[in-house]
Amino acid sequence: DYKSAHYLSASKDLDVGTRFRPLSLDVPKPLFPVAGLPMVQHHIEACASVPDIREILLLGYFPAQQLQQFVADMIAAYKIRIRYLQEYQALGTAGGIYHFRDQISSGNPDAFFVLNGDVCGDFPLQEILNFHTSLSTPSLITIMGTEATRQQSTMYGCIVEDKETHQILHYVEKPSTFVSNLINCGVYICSPDIFKRVGEIFNSRQDFYSCEDSEGTESIQLEQDILMPIAGTGQAYVYTTDRWWSQIKTAGSAIYANRHYLQLYHKTKNERLAVNGPDKPTIIGDVYIHPTATVDPSALLGPNVSVGKNAVIGAGVRIRESIILGNTTIQEHSCVLYTVVGWNSTVGAWTRLEGTPCDPNPNKPFAKMDNVPLFNAEGKLNPSITILGNDVKVPSEVVVINSIILPYKELSASTKNEIIL
């Protein structure tokens, strides 16, 4: 049975999160709050809901002390064993699980999940487990897949499957031409036999490189080094889902993820959503307000707003499609649209913060979030959400549009389409 099944989060993006700046300058990217919870807590919550999972391991390159309190809080909240294992160097999605194979194998699990830390979604983990265990031919690795548009598919790992058996016949990571609409979601369930396969790759690299040139030989990717070679050999399968899924590569994608996690709360954690009532702010759609936050009853919030710990929202404030982080003050009659307001920031009265969303095209089925680069080909800033870093001060009666303000800045005037360093 699967009573000792493990979950492991091994991610290419559990690093410094360069594309997530300035929001990752003050907190590790996996701990950035989306819909009121750190990003990786959504993974933990999904895993903890699978009855047969016995332990959760977090792999990353962050110093252990940065996640120590978070791990303690998660153990208390979910009553499950959770450990953080720090990589001594970036080991890749497969190199990490091979390096910590003894910890993963303790308890003799029948299988273990691997979730990349930079993905978000409504993870059907129990369904993937059921699919994996019901296969007539044992699977070395089963991937969660979903459909993307023809144009967007080349930005992901593309899967060609046998429609009847769901066996993976061909796999290409970010192909230069169209291969398949079916893409890799960065969610896997693996047999412990995969360690033998990764070990063969590791040993072959040690033999190939001399000792002086061996730096980086332990960085092994599940996608390029494991999936591509075993595709078509009957050892890899795909479980396809039409549930919501996305990547969180940039700060703009955090707003999109925030919206969908708030929608998921209707089904899973409805008590987290704010409701209308006497002496309460007016709520439109899905809104999360931390219990310690103070929101004036005359404020209007929503849809798709998260308000963090100890935040203060003044009279007549209007907020929609935004994330307001902890210890922030939004003074009276300000308007905040498509914006992330960083920790400990202050927004003056009668001020307007506005960004431009880069949501998937609603007219294209299976369209995914585009991770638009910061600058276009002409060197100009692409329109995006507005971001205030940590401890930013915005004066009263100014307008900030499509701008990124780095931490510890104090604006003196309105700004549009600028990065304030």
Side-chain angles (χ1 to χ4, degrees), residues 127-345:
E127 290 86 343
I128 298 173
L129 177 58
N130 295 342
F131 171 82
H132 182 80
T133 56
S134 66
L135 292 168
S136 55
T137 304
S139 174
L140 195 66
I141 182 169
T142 299
I143 307 174
M144 176 176 135
T146 194
E147 287 199 61
T149 65
R150 185 183 181 94
Q151 293 79 10
Q152 289 183 320
S153 64
T154 55
M155 298 184 291
Y156 302 90
C158 293
I159 302 164
V160 178
E161 68 163 333
D162 181 316
K163 295 291 185 180
E164 292 185 3
T165 64
H166 305 293
Q167 198 179 120
I168 296 175
L169 303 176
H170 186 53
Y171 182 89
V172 186
E173 185 67 21
K174 296 180 181 176
S176 55
T177 58
F178 175 75
V179 172
S180 168
N181 286 333
L182 188 59
I183 63 168
N184 178 4
C185 293
V187 176
Y188 314 91
I189 186 166
C190 303
S191 161
D193 292 337
I194 200 169
F195 295 130
K196 180 181 178 182
R197 178 79 189 186
V198 183
E200 290 170 354
I201 295 170
F202 175 76
N203 291 330
S204 68
R205 290 187 181 180
Q206 302 307 308
D207 294 339
F208 181 79
Y209 290 98
S210 66
C211 292
E212 304 89 62
D213 299 328
S214 63
E215 185 177 350
T217 57
E218 285 192 69
S219 181
I220 303 171
Q221 303 297 341
L222 269 176
E223 300 81 5
Q224 293 94 328
D225 297 320
I226 305 296
L227 286 173
M228 289 177 69
I230 68 171
T233 66
Q235 301 175 82
Y237 289 78
V238 59
Y239 175 88
T240 304
T241 181
D242 59 0
R243 294 191 190 183
W244 164 66
W245 171 89
S246 186
Q247 290 181 316
I248 304 184
K249 294 288 189 183
T250 62
S253 56
I255 293 285
Y256 179 69
N258 184 67
R259 179 192 313 160
H260 283 276
Y261 273 131
L262 289 171
Q263 290 176 354
L264 274 182
Y265 288 167
H266 280 295
K267 172 168 83 169
T268 58
K269 300 285 182 181
N270 194 56
E271 68 279 3
R272 289 178 181 164
L273 295 173
V275 294
N276 287 294
D279 300 319
K280 291 183 177 181
T282 301
I283 303 298
I284 302 173
D286 300 325
V287 174
Y288 169 86
I289 301 174
H290 194 277
T292 61
T294 302
V295 183
D296 191 276
S298 64
L300 174 58
L301 276 59
N304 310 316
V305 170
S306 294
V307 179
K309 187 184 297 184
N310 298 318
V312 178
I313 310 298
V317 168
R318 175 70 176 105
I319 307 175
R320 66 173 291 166
E321 298 284 353
S322 295
I323 298 174
I324 312 300
L325 297 174
N327 300 302
T328 284
T329 298
I330 311 289
Q331 294 180 3
E332 61 271 14
H333 306 297
S334 286
C335 182
V336 181
L337 312 173
Y338 292 98
T339 295
V340 177
V341 181
W343 299 269
N344 307 301
S345 292

